Amino acid sequence: MDQSLTSFIDIAADSDFTLHNLPYGIFSETPEGLRRVGVALGDWVIDLTVLEQHQLLDLPIATQYFSQSSLNAFIAAGATTWSGVRRALQYLFSSERSVLQQDKALLKQVLLPRSALYLHLPIEVAGYTDFYSSKEHATNVGSMFRDPKHALLANWSELPVGYNGRASSVVVSGTDIVRPSGQIKLVDQQRPIFSASKKLDFELETAFIVAKNTQLGQPVPIDQAWEHIFGMVLLNDWSARDIQQWEYVPLGPFNAKTFASAISPWVVTLEALEPFRTAGPVQDPEPLDYLKEDHRHNSFDINLSVKLLPAGGDQADVICQTNFKHMYWSMAQQLTHHTIAGCNLQVGDLMGSGTISGATVDAYGSLLELTWNNSKPLQLSNGQSRGFIEDGDSIIMQAYAEKDGIRVGFGEVRNQVLAAIDFNFPVK
Amino acid sequence: MDQSLTSFIDIAADSDFTLHNLPYGIFSETPEGLRRVGVALGDWVIDLTVLEQHQLLDLPIATQYFSQSSLNAFIAAGATTWSGVRRALQYLFSSERSVLQQDKALLKQVLLPRSALYLHLPIEVAGYTDFYSSKEHATNVGSMFRDPKHALLANWSELPVGYNGRASSVVVSGTDIVRPSGQIKLVDQQRPIFSASKKLDFELETAFIVAKNTQLGQPVPIDQAWEHIFGMVLLNDWSARDIQQWEYVPLGPFNAKTFASAISPWVVTLEALEPFRTAGPVQDPEPLDYLKEDHRHNSFDINLSVKLLPAGGDQADVICQTNFKHMYWSMAQQLTHHTIAGCNLQVGDLMGSGTISGATVDAYGSLLELTWNNSKPLQLSNGQSRGFIEDGDSIIMQAYAEKDGIRVGFGEVRNQVLAAIDFNFPVK
């Protein structure tokens, strides 16, 4: 890793988007304007379509990876292509001999001010799977909803528990979240009522993006699993706890989570994250053979935080700080387990980590855990308190990795909650 | 309904594919040949691209609905277009003044022998949702896996329980099913083992196909729900009961069902099924307002059967006969419930009914129920017995509606089971 990699572009010391990062996203210059692929660099976005047209990215002639409304085509091009573009960009923006250093007109065409652009969902989400791989989170939820003495179910320690999510409702940061309505069951009533959710919650997660199509009936061996991952995003897996509690037995969460799952707009590549590889937890019991992996390098040291910006406020409070490295099951184990019975994967599959909770109360990754199901409301700096999320509140999740003076950040996923729809049912 | 609708094409009296039916599918003339849209008629397939090019389908000039590898574009065109094409086809193949009656060269170009064609997945499956709407099935499964005294959970009677399935592994009839492997938990062992599934099962289902994109946060009212459905197919929701039992608590089935979900190649339109509308069960308790619907016309009288063709055999045994009309929750209720919290739908979403079981033992829609979890194996006519499905067995599901001499059939979904992969885990 070349720590001296600096750009002739002005990049703030604490920027998430350094020359070591180079995350990919989809942008347009007007809300309905042409969508295309860009890379975030400092306060700028590199318009890759211009560099592709000028054949400055070390790609074969006449590729069309970047005149696209999603990253899927570029992702499908494979690791050699990703690395080539990364090297080309690092050269273009650091070398004194770079054509961009010399041709200011071209540079102006290539670099667009990030704050003036519109960011869109970076991938066409083929399938969305959500895992449940934080031991602390699974223990907390099991304690609250099932049996504190046997909070962790027997299968949890043997396999990365996961379920199919709803791909159509994956949205990008910035999308407003309409408070969901549905059936909720109050303890003092025999039948459920129809109501806006009273327990709207966030879930702090990351997600990885699948890079290769695989065939039905052909599992991915664990020692090849990392090659199937393109990069990572932040994920807020919005959840309605009251809808969830009534509906989820026996087939799992459905309407409690299908109203929105929000991701950050910039996909941080696994290549950019390699310097931050670290040990995951020692797994006990030792996993079955198909899940066996050297734990010393199967996680990443990524700092995560959640802020709550209350309705009408201008001061966001940090309500959670934790780290990705606590996750019990690795991304490779998740991916391999997903395919072991024969399920095929697709370029653009999004796979959520599950809520990431640390061991201490200030590291819990959901309000359900932070307020212990509203029994210990959070005190905000504006004097208000929160058990769950109120209309007008915004949730902001951020993440970064930092080591030896090198910083690779995720930016943020931020959404504001709008009031529920006013239903007017026709009289029968 | 014009019962006298007969064709100048020879159509067998018991054909599923009458002029009253006209189901849509995707075919090619060679395995890798050009895929396009066809309609099944008797033993023939109508090549709709030829009729579209000749402007014989009452469509605007230069549409491209049928030179497609899926039905999605035609489905998105909407109900007026579907009805127009249906009327045009009925006229073209019944009228003595039809150009096809007069122009035998054109007729030969249009009508292809079905047995010589290759059939493909008819839709690009946007999302796959599976419901659980047979009271008899839910009661049977609850009795076996939970508590016979409280087999039906409290939420089951209040909402159409459903979960997100895996869209990528939806396959067409004819696809071989590799026996899945994974973690199974034997009663006499403390830890799970890795094994090929010993309890491979089918689930007899139908599924409907969503016709319209909807917006996130905008539920579909129940009185508009039927307009969002294009048609129906047969669905075998292949299941590995031992993998399922170990993995499914608390987030629902995952690897037990993501290895394959098979559908019939011909999509029978709701318009063709209208004559067979019938009453669904009276619902008790009366549903909440958002799910209220007149039950007298919210189901369909569709006969369903399952055959098992044992490995190496030439005689398939009928092992289940039931009817779709027993389903407790209607397709409209399923669709509306799916959107009530704000989830958006997409053209090409596939929504499974859940296993369809009738009240009697011979009407159960899975081997789990038919053999009561292998405690009462089925006797086959070849002298063998089956608790679950063995390698080489084929499962064949068929369906048809019949009334006043009019028959509308689904054809079949048929798959053969192949032996599990021989895993060779690398020694660590």
Side-chain angles (χ1 to χ4, degrees), chain A residues 62-82:
Chain A
T63 56
Q64 291 279 333
Y65 295 139
F66 303 123
S67 312
Q68 303 276 347
S69 58
S70 80
L71 299 176
N72 294 45
F74 176 62
I75 293 171
T80 308
T81 302
W82 315 333

Side-chain angles (χ1 to χ4, degrees), chain A residues 26-46:
Chain A
I26 298 293
F27 73 95
S28 63
E29 294 180 84
T30 58
E32 303 301 321
L34 187 71
R35 297 187 185 195
R36 50 202 199 268
V37 178
V39 159
L41 182 64
D43 292 334
W44 306 88
V45 170
I46 305 168

Side-chain angles (χ1 to χ4, degrees), chain A residues 127-142:
Chain A
Y128 168 40
T129 300
D130 199 21
F131 287 93
Y132 187 59
S133 291
S134 157
K135 192 169 194 167
E136 293 78 7
H137 171 69
T139 304
N140 287 338
V141 172

Side-chain angles (χ1 to χ4, degrees), chain A residues 129-164:
Chain A
T129 300
D130 199 21
F131 287 93
Y132 187 59
S133 291
S134 157
K135 192 169 194 167
E136 293 78 7
H137 171 69
T139 304
N140 287 338
V141 172
S143 297
M144 270 183 273
F145 288 130
R146 289 180 294 271
D147 175 3
K149 287 180 196 157
H150 304 94
L152 215 54
L153 295 169
N155 60 9
W156 195 92
S157 306
E158 298 284 359
L159 56 86
V161 172
Y163 69 101
N164 302 297

Side-chain angles (χ1 to χ4, degrees), chain B residues 100-352:
Chain B
L100 294 179
Q101 176 82 296
Q102 292 153 18
D103 185 342
K104 297 298 174 195
L106 181 61
L107 183 63
K108 198 174 169 186
Q109 213 187 330
V110 167
L111 270 193
L112 306 172
R114 188 151 52 85
S115 61
L117 301 178
Y118 297 83
L119 300 178
H120 306 282
L121 200 61
I123 51 169
E124 191 178 328
V125 182
Y128 168 40
T129 300
D130 200 21
F131 288 93
Y132 187 58
S133 291
S134 157
K135 192 169 193 168
E136 293 77 7
H137 172 70
T139 304
N140 287 339
V141 172
S143 295
M144 271 183 273
F145 287 130
R146 288 180 295 271
D147 176 2
K149 288 180 195 156
H150 305 92
L152 214 55
L153 295 169
N155 60 9
W156 195 93
S157 306
E158 299 284 359
L159 57 84
V161 171
Y163 69 102
N164 303 298
R166 174 77 187 174
S168 75
S169 51
V170 176
V171 297
V172 72
S173 175
T175 306
D176 290 334
I177 307 297
V178 176
R179 178 180 297 273
S181 296
Q183 293 195 18
I184 64 178
K185 179 72 167 57
L186 304 177
V187 284
D188 59 350
Q189 298 201 17
Q190 199 175 353
R191 290 192 61 191
I193 61 168
F194 184 84
S195 169
S197 172
K198 302 170 196 290
K199 293 190 173 181
L200 182 58
D201 200 0
F202 65 85
E203 288 192 337
L204 169 63
E205 302 194 20
T206 61
F208 67 84
I209 291 159
V210 171
K212 298 183 185 184
N213 294 319
T214 65
Q215 295 302 304
L216 200 66
Q218 296 184 9
V220 176
I222 186 89
D223 58 359
Q224 295 170 26
W226 290 105
E227 300 163 22
H228 290 255
I229 300 175
F230 174 68
M232 293 174 71
V233 290
L234 277 164
L235 167 65
N236 184 347
D237 192 36
W238 286 91
S239 299
R241 300 300 178 191
D242 38 11
I243 295 174
Q244 184 175 354
Q245 198 173 0
W246 173 237
E247 77 176 358
Y248 91 104
V249 179
L251 299 182
F254 186 54
N255 281 349
K257 287 167 179 280
T258 57
F259 62 93
S261 313
I263 64 173
S264 52
W266 298 108
V267 182
V268 178
T269 63
L270 225 52
E271 200 170 356
L273 290 168
E274 281 301 327
F276 310 101
R277 267 198 191 266
T278 189
V282 175
Q283 294 176 314
D284 179 24
E286 190 179 29
L288 298 188
D289 281 349
Y290 80 96
L291 291 172
K292 268 187 192 147
E293 190 187 30
D294 186 340
H295 84 100
R296 289 171 301 174
H297 311 285
N298 74 348
S299 194
F300 293 89
D301 185 353
I302 302 170
N303 300 290
L304 303 159
S305 67
V306 182
K307 292 180 188 162
L308 189 154
L309 176 63
D314 50 14
Q315 175 68 39
D317 288 348
V318 176
I319 58 174
C320 162
Q321 291 190 81
T322 184
N323 194 297
F324 179 79
K325 69 184 175 192
H326 301 311
M327 298 303 282
Y328 188 85
W329 294 102
S330 79
M331 293 187 276
Q333 288 172 324
Q334 291 169 339
L335 187 141
T336 287
H337 180 70
H338 201 312
T339 66
I340 196 66
C343 183
N344 55 326
L345 304 181
Q346 296 181 318
V347 172
D349 281 342
L350 184 74
M351 304 219 173

Side-chain angles (χ1 to χ4, degrees), chain B residues 388-410:
Chain B
F388 287 99
I389 299 172
E390 298 192 358
D391 291 346
D393 289 352
S394 295
I395 296 293
I396 305 151
M397 298 178 177
Q398 297 172 318
Y400 69 95
E402 201 158 25
K403 186 181 176 185
D404 301 335
I406 292 172
R407 185 180 165 105
V408 166
F410 283 68

Side-chain angles (χ1 to χ4, degrees), chain A residues 8 91-102:
Chain A
F8 53 82
Y91 173 82
L92 283 169
F93 287 93
S94 66
S95 168
E96 288 187 7
R97 291 183 307 251
S98 162
V99 60
L100 294 179
Q101 178 82 294
Q102 293 153 18

